[in-house]
């Protein structure tokens, strides 16, 4: 099978992770999201708990820098760079097919011709409803969590990437899950990826 790499960015509550799972199942390829942390923990630099804490967090360069190869970078930056290196190795050296959620993969892997970059969005009400149901929280907490997490994702992405988070020019596909089932969104992405790879 020709290499398939799908980099999926997503707004919180848009159903991006579920769609990523469906894509990985369809192609029978690995999904790298939280799974990425256990892979990176194998080198022993950080415990899984530390990786979880600093995963996809914007770099806080004024707080607790740690020396790396003669320069000072924050733990957030070091964790991010380890993830980027892991993804590049899988994509470009090992020629592995996979789906990856977030982690700036849309730009980190941009030189790979088999990459498809997707951004999943939805209207506020759709996302709010999904978050309330999934997490068992009220409307106020759901809206606050959506705002907080999307701000973190945007700041994280824009720190490392030239293409801005959610800007359609940085993606092959931008799809809203507001009015169609997540399964149908996954089908649209599969159709696009298959057409691109033929």
């Amino acid at each position: 099978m020709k290499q398939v790499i799908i980099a999926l960015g997503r707004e919180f509550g848009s159903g991006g992770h579920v769609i990523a799972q469906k894509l990985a199942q369809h192609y029978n390829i690995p999904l790298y999201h939280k799974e990425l942390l256990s892979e990176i923990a194998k080198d022993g630099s950080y415990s899984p708990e530390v990786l979880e804490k600093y995963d996809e967090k914007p770099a806080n360069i004024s707080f607790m820098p740690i020396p790396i190869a003669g320069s000072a970078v924050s733990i957030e930056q070091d964790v991010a760079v380890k993830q980027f290196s892991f993804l590049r190795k899988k994509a470009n050296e090992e020629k592995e097919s996979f789906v990856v959620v977030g982690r700036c993969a849309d730009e980190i892997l941009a030189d790979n011709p088999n990459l498809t970059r997707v951004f999943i969005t939805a209207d506020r009400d759709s996302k709010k409803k999904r978050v309330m149901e999934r997490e068992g929280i009220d409307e106020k907490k759901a809206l606050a969590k959506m705002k907080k997490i999307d701000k973190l994702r945007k700041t994280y992405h824009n720190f490392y990437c030239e293409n801005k988070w959610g800007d359609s020019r940085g993606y092959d596909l931008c799809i809203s899950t507001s009015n169609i089932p997540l399964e149908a969104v996954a089908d649209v992405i599969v159709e696009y990826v298959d057409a691109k790879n033929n």
Side-chain angles (χ1 to χ4, degrees), residues 12 124 127-129 131-132 135 137-152:
F12 187 71
R124 193 174 85 141
K127 293 185 289 186
K128 178 185 70 179
K129 182 182 177 189
V131 172
M132 288 171 66
E135 307 202 7
I137 56 179
D138 64 24
E139 179 180 11
K140 186 177 178 182
K141 286 182 180 175
L143 290 171
K145 191 164 187 178
M146 285 160 52
K147 184 176 180 181
K148 178 185 175 184
I149 292 180
D150 278 348
K151 183 178 179 183
L152 285 172

Side-chain angles (χ1 to χ4, degrees), residues 33-94:
H33 180 35
K34 296 299 182 188
E35 300 81 359
L36 203 53
L37 303 181
S38 57
E39 292 289 336
I40 291 171
K42 290 176 183 175
D43 78 1
S45 300
Y46 298 110
S47 68
E49 293 76 24
V50 169
L51 289 169
E52 176 80 30
K53 181 178 178 182
Y54 293 103
D55 180 40
E56 279 200 298
K57 294 294 188 298
N60 186 352
I61 21 189
S62 63
F63 180 68
M64 285 179 58
I66 54 173
I68 302 291
S71 66
V73 299
S74 65
I75 296 176
E76 294 94 336
Q77 286 174 286
D78 194 40
V79 170
V81 168
K82 286 181 183 298
Q83 293 189 25
F84 301 160
S85 298
F86 176 86
L87 292 170
R88 285 193 187 105
K89 182 180 179 185
K90 289 291 181 185
N92 301 332
E93 293 175 32
E94 299 178 12

Side-chain angles (χ1 to χ4, degrees), residues 149-193:
I149 292 180
D150 278 348
K151 183 178 179 183
L152 285 172
R153 288 176 179 172
K154 181 177 183 178
T155 306
Y156 168 83
H157 185 279
N158 293 354
F159 181 85
Y160 295 105
C161 302
E162 286 185 35
N163 293 324
K164 299 306 179 190
W165 184 78
D167 184 335
S168 61
R169 291 167 294 189
Y171 304 91
D172 300 296
L173 284 175
C174 292
I175 305 178
S176 171
T177 58
S178 300
N179 302 308
I180 59 174
L182 300 183
E183 186 72 53
V185 174
D187 290 343
V188 169
I189 298 169
V190 165
E191 189 174 346
Y192 182 93
V193 170

Side-chain angles (χ1 to χ4, degrees), residues 88-138:
R88 285 193 187 105
K89 182 180 179 185
K90 289 291 181 185
N92 301 332
E93 293 175 32
E94 299 178 12
K95 305 296 182 190
E96 183 179 294
S97 293
F98 56 87
V99 178
V100 56
V101 177
R103 279 83 189 171
C104 300
D106 51 294
E107 190 157 316
I108 298 303
L109 303 176
D111 59 343
N112 189 301
N114 301 313
L115 173 70
T116 300
R117 302 162 302 164
V118 181
F119 192 81
I120 305 295
T121 183
D123 63 41
R124 193 174 85 141
D125 286 345
S126 299
K127 293 185 289 186
K128 178 185 70 179
K129 182 182 177 189
R130 194 173 282 120
V131 172
M132 288 171 66
E133 289 174 356
R134 184 181 68 204
E135 307 202 7
I137 56 179
D138 64 24

